[in-house]
Amino acid sequence: MTPPLTIRPLTLGEVRIRPNNIAGTGTPMLWWTFTSRTWSPWLPVFGFLVEHERGTVLFDTGQSAASIDDPDYYPGGLVGLVFRRQAEFRVSVEQSLSAQLTAAGASVDDIDVVAISHLHQDHAGNVAELTGKKFLVSADELALLDEKAPEMHGVLAEHVKVDGVEFSPVVFEPNDDPALAAFGASFDIFDDGTLLLLPTPGHSAGSMSLLVRREGAAPVLLVGDVTYNPDLLAKGVVPDTGAREVQLQTARKIVALTEALPGLAVVAAHDPRVPERLAAVS
Ligand SMILES: [Zn+2]
């Protein structure tokens, strides 16, 4: 008997962000970054352990505990100020990657593939603990590492480009499945149609999502930071970060996917309701 395809959320830190980062109004990012006086409640930073008969996939690696203790973790100057104004993080001992894996009855050794939605620090923060794994990151997102100042795109290259971590660029291939018509392309992790990476750019240049299709349970779309609240995404509300038009286009594609795949659960990386959304479709 084949084991069921399971998705388990790992809480890899917590973050609080500005209201515009959740429900955008079209306000320019630098304006709200420096004028906002309020924070959201503390929100989880989720990674997901996806267990498939051919291997275990970790989707997003979470926030690094070093980011809390190391005074030099963030850039200095104006860019560093933007980072500090936009988000605050905390990572308890229980929220380290190894502790969360242990709590899930797993270990780093069990992970075969690490797929990263995008290279922001709270998604790529723990790559150094996963050396030697197969890393999947979209080619467009990896191109940010070659830019002169990746930190201007929210990417802390020195914590991502580390010894022992080799990224395989994901190049999406044409997919004529009518259910995926809005996307038209995908990357099939195990070549069996159950774990499909989809291009969902906008929040960052190369953001991607993971569509999980399995027998006997509703499909799930892990969307990273495409939205912080799937109920807002369904209404076409996107954050005031990233490229607004591209984000809106991606939102429309996800709505179309929701219509094509009845019961689809859209699961965001910082949505406190993730455990209940996953429980409802398992
Ligand atoms: Zn992000």
Side-chain angles (χ1 to χ4, degrees):
M1 200 182 106
T2 51
L5 213 173
T6 58
I7 306 169
R8 287 194 282 173
L10 308 177
T11 305
L12 303 166
E14 291 167 280
V15 63
R16 57 180 190 172
I17 51 179
R18 303 297 186 181
N20 287 71
N21 213 335
I22 297 175
T25 56
T27 312
M29 187 180 78
L30 281 181
W31 176 258
W32 60 258
T33 295
F34 285 105
T35 57
S36 181
R37 289 158 180 265
T38 50
W39 290 107
S40 72
W42 285 98
L43 303 170
V45 174
F46 284 118
F48 298 89
L49 205 56
V50 182
E51 289 156 310
H52 181 282
E53 59 178 318
R54 293 194 203 164
T56 296
V57 178
L58 177 66
F59 186 73
D60 283 345
T61 74
Q63 179 79 12
S64 165
S67 68
I68 312 298
D69 309 326
D70 178 358
D72 297 324
Y73 191 84
Y74 294 98
L78 188 62
V79 177
L81 189 59
V82 170
F83 271 87
R84 290 197 301 280
R85 290 277 318 168
Q86 285 192 356
E88 285 189 350
F89 291 92
R90 58 188 189 194
V91 182
S92 69
V93 173
E94 297 77 25
Q95 292 169 341
S96 71
L97 177 61
S98 58
Q100 283 289 296
L101 287 170
T102 303
S107 77
V108 165
D109 291 341
D110 297 322
I111 296 169
D112 301 290
V113 177
V114 181
I116 303 179
S117 64
H118 65 298
L119 292 176
H120 287 168
Q121 50 160 337
D122 49 330
H123 299 260
N126 288 312
V127 295
E129 290 185 42
L130 296 155
T131 52
K133 306 292 181 191
K134 183 178 178 69
F135 281 92
L136 298 175
V137 178
S138 88
D140 287 345
E141 191 74 5
L142 283 177
L144 294 174
L145 292 174
D146 297 326
E147 296 227 351
K148 214 164 139 201
E151 62 276 13
M152 298 290 278
H153 302 277
V155 176
L156 301 176
E158 64 174 304
H159 303 307
V160 176
K161 285 160 103 171
V162 294
D163 287 347
V165 173
E166 215 167 293
F167 295 105
S168 305
V170 169
V171 178
F172 301 102
E173 290 160 7
N175 185 326
D176 57 9
D177 182 339
L180 304 179
F183 296 90
S186 64
F187 180 92
D188 193 338
I189 295 181
F190 289 125
D191 263 329
D192 67 350
T194 58
L195 299 180
L196 295 173
L197 293 166
L198 301 175
T200 50
H203 174 72
S204 69
S207 283
M208 64 181 185
S209 298
L210 176 61
L211 175 62
V212 182
R213 300 174 87 173
R214 51 205 176 143
E215 264 177 49
V220 173
L221 185 67
L222 305 176
V223 297
D225 285 356
V226 164
T227 184
Y228 285 76
N229 178 346
D231 302 330
L232 290 177
L233 186 77
K235 294 181 206 154
V237 177
V238 295
D240 274 340
T241 44
R244 186 168 179 80
E245 275 315 308
V246 186
Q247 282 181 295
L248 288 169
Q249 222 171 43
T250 286
R252 284 192 289 271
K253 290 180 184 180
I254 292 174
V255 169
L257 188 69
T258 308
E259 285 161 7
L261 297 176
L264 178 75
V266 176
V267 171
H270 305 293
D271 175 8
R273 293 183 59 201
V274 158
E276 66 184 88
R277 289 186 201 274
L278 285 175
V281 294
S282 60

PDB file of all heavy atoms in Angstrom, residues 118 120 122-123 203 225 228, ligand 1:
ATOM      1  N   HIS A 118      10.284  31.515  -2.425  1.00  0.00           N
ATOM      2  CA  HIS A 118      11.051  32.688  -2.860  1.00  0.00           C
ATOM      3  C   HIS A 118      12.165  32.895  -1.843  1.00  0.00           C
ATOM      4  O   HIS A 118      12.177  32.265  -0.783  1.00  0.00           O
ATOM      5  CB  HIS A 118      10.148  33.908  -3.015  1.00  0.00           C
ATOM      6  CG  HIS A 118       9.522  34.399  -1.740  1.00  0.00           C
ATOM      7  ND1 HIS A 118       8.660  33.628  -0.993  1.00  0.00           N
ATOM      8  CD2 HIS A 118       9.629  35.572  -1.078  1.00  0.00           C
ATOM      9  CE1 HIS A 118       8.262  34.316   0.069  1.00  0.00           C
ATOM     10  NE2 HIS A 118       8.849  35.501   0.046  1.00  0.00           N
ATOM     11  N   HIS A 120      13.172  35.353   0.173  1.00  0.00           N
ATOM     12  CA  HIS A 120      13.148  36.227   1.347  1.00  0.00           C
ATOM     13  C   HIS A 120      13.619  35.433   2.565  1.00  0.00           C
ATOM     14  O   HIS A 120      13.453  34.215   2.645  1.00  0.00           O
ATOM     15  CB  HIS A 120      11.742  36.791   1.572  1.00  0.00           C
ATOM     16  CG  HIS A 120      11.364  37.850   0.554  1.00  0.00           C
ATOM     17  ND1 HIS A 120      10.086  38.318   0.401  1.00  0.00           N
ATOM     18  CD2 HIS A 120      12.127  38.520  -0.359  1.00  0.00           C
ATOM     19  CE1 HIS A 120      10.067  39.246  -0.573  1.00  0.00           C
ATOM     20  NE2 HIS A 120      11.296  39.370  -1.045  1.00  0.00           N
ATOM     21  N   ASP A 122      12.711  34.827   5.544  1.00  0.00           N
ATOM     22  CA  ASP A 122      11.884  33.955   6.380  1.00  0.00           C
ATOM     23  C   ASP A 122      11.406  32.712   5.619  1.00  0.00           C
ATOM     24  O   ASP A 122      10.640  31.913   6.143  1.00  0.00           O
ATOM     25  CB  ASP A 122      10.696  34.715   6.984  1.00  0.00           C
ATOM     26  CG  ASP A 122       9.922  35.515   5.954  1.00  0.00           C
ATOM     27  OD1 ASP A 122      10.527  35.958   4.966  1.00  0.00           O
ATOM     28  OD2 ASP A 122       8.710  35.700   6.133  1.00  0.00           O
ATOM     29  N   HIS A 123      11.906  32.544   4.410  1.00  0.00           N
ATOM     30  CA  HIS A 123      11.582  31.352   3.607  1.00  0.00           C
ATOM     31  C   HIS A 123      12.859  30.583   3.268  1.00  0.00           C
ATOM     32  O   HIS A 123      12.838  29.365   3.129  1.00  0.00           O
ATOM     33  CB  HIS A 123      10.832  31.757   2.330  1.00  0.00           C
ATOM     34  CG  HIS A 123       9.545  32.445   2.646  1.00  0.00           C
ATOM     35  ND1 HIS A 123       8.328  31.814   2.601  1.00  0.00           N
ATOM     36  CD2 HIS A 123       9.303  33.709   3.098  1.00  0.00           C
ATOM     37  CE1 HIS A 123       7.384  32.651   2.991  1.00  0.00           C
ATOM     38  NE2 HIS A 123       7.951  33.814   3.307  1.00  0.00           N
ATOM     39  N   HIS A 203       4.963  38.927  -5.748  1.00  0.00           N
ATOM     40  CA  HIS A 203       5.518  39.252  -4.425  1.00  0.00           C
ATOM     41  C   HIS A 203       7.035  39.398  -4.554  1.00  0.00           C
ATOM     42  O   HIS A 203       7.638  40.307  -3.994  1.00  0.00           O
ATOM     43  CB  HIS A 203       5.155  38.147  -3.434  1.00  0.00           C
ATOM     44  CG  HIS A 203       5.808  38.318  -2.096  1.00  0.00           C
ATOM     45  ND1 HIS A 203       5.433  39.297  -1.210  1.00  0.00           N
ATOM     46  CD2 HIS A 203       6.829  37.655  -1.505  1.00  0.00           C
ATOM     47  CE1 HIS A 203       6.196  39.222  -0.127  1.00  0.00           C
ATOM     48  NE2 HIS A 203       7.047  38.232  -0.273  1.00  0.00           N
ATOM     49  N   ASP A 225       4.242  33.686   0.010  1.00  0.00           N
ATOM     50  CA  ASP A 225       3.770  35.032   0.374  1.00  0.00           C
ATOM     51  C   ASP A 225       2.940  35.686  -0.737  1.00  0.00           C
ATOM     52  O   ASP A 225       2.809  36.904  -0.764  1.00  0.00           O
ATOM     53  CB  ASP A 225       4.966  35.947   0.684  1.00  0.00           C
ATOM     54  CG  ASP A 225       5.583  35.641   2.034  1.00  0.00           C
ATOM     55  OD1 ASP A 225       5.056  34.783   2.759  1.00  0.00           O
ATOM     56  OD2 ASP A 225       6.614  36.267   2.358  1.00  0.00           O
ATOM     57  N   TYR A 228      -1.158  36.912   2.422  1.00  0.00           N
ATOM     58  CA  TYR A 228      -1.060  36.555   3.830  1.00  0.00           C
ATOM     59  C   TYR A 228      -2.388  35.994   4.305  1.00  0.00           C
ATOM     60  O   TYR A 228      -2.482  35.445   5.385  1.00  0.00           O
ATOM     61  CB  TYR A 228      -0.660  37.783   4.666  1.00  0.00           C
ATOM     62  CG  TYR A 228       0.803  38.117   4.491  1.00  0.00           C
ATOM     63  CD1 TYR A 228       1.258  38.741   3.334  1.00  0.00           C
ATOM     64  CD2 TYR A 228       1.733  37.761   5.457  1.00  0.00           C
ATOM     65  CE1 TYR A 228       2.593  39.007   3.151  1.00  0.00           C
ATOM     66  CE2 TYR A 228       3.076  38.038   5.285  1.00  0.00           C
ATOM     67  CZ  TYR A 228       3.495  38.660   4.135  1.00  0.00           C
ATOM     68  OH  TYR A 228       4.837  38.913   3.957  1.00  0.00           O
TER      69      TYR A 228
HETATM   70 ZN    ZN B   1       8.299  37.250   1.207  1.00  0.00          ZN
END
